[in-house]
Amino acid sequence: MPKYMLIMRGTDESNAALMAGWEELAATTYSYIEELVKAGVFVAAEGLDDARQGVVVDFSGEAPVVTDGPYGETKELFGGYFLLDVASKQEAVEWAKRVPSVTGSKIEIRRVAGDDETPQDNKGSVEERAGNESTGRI
């Protein structure tokens, strides 16, 4: 089955509302994850730390430039994700509509490309190359 990522997006306002009702939202989120597990579609879920704690590596110039914090004029920030193994985009949408959330938040749904859809060279997979590089074989 294809995998779909449900990317949690929020604004400063929705993130403040989320933090104000954190305990209740956390409890409903854990129940939601239990439903995903019981349905056999749960792969992973993670929340992201405060964007102000991150860095941005910008490749728009000749050399990469690293700056603290999120993108300058960002109105929405990614806050976390759910990764689901479902049969279709529509099934991913149905699960996304059930995610516990606060007013003003959004969920972006993206299909994860399968191994057969990514360009492969004739030297093997990334994992194989990484293993060979650690042993000195390429």
Side-chain angles (χ1 to χ4, degrees):
M1 282 197 293
K3 291 184 180 82
Y4 285 86
M5 184 172 279
L6 312 183
I7 303 167
M8 316 306 289
R9 296 179 8 196
T11 62
D12 287 340
E13 294 80 18
S14 67
N15 289 338
L18 182 142
M19 294 312 292
W22 175 248
E23 288 185 23
E24 181 181 342
L25 188 63
T28 56
T29 299
Y30 291 130
S31 295
Y32 175 73
I33 291 171
E34 287 176 359
E35 290 179 47
L36 294 170
V37 170
K38 286 178 187 172
V41 299
F42 180 80
V43 176
E46 296 287 344
L48 300 177
D49 196 3
D50 187 332
R52 293 173 293 193
Q53 302 302 316
V55 297
V56 174
V57 181
D58 184 346
F59 293 94
S60 59
E62 220 174 277
V65 176
V66 179
T67 55
D68 290 333
Y71 297 104
E73 294 297 319
T74 301
K75 293 185 175 150
E76 294 179 351
L77 292 171
F78 295 145
Y81 70 91
F82 291 93
L83 184 60
L84 307 181
D85 193 359
V86 294
S88 67
K89 179 169 58 173
Q90 187 56 42
E91 186 177 353
V93 168
E94 293 305 315
W95 280 109
K97 289 172 17 180
R98 296 172 57 188
V99 171
S101 61
V102 296
T103 301
S105 61
K106 296 179 182 177
I107 298 175
E108 179 178 342
I109 301 170
R110 303 273 302 273
R111 190 173 69 78
V112 177
D115 289 340
D116 60 337
E117 298 174 290
T118 55
Q120 298 290 321
D121 63 25
N122 54 5
K123 291 186 181 180
S125 71
V126 171
E127 293 85 7
E128 290 169 334
R129 288 194 306 273
N132 290 340
E133 287 171 5
S134 68
T135 61
R137 297 177 305 189
I138 299 218

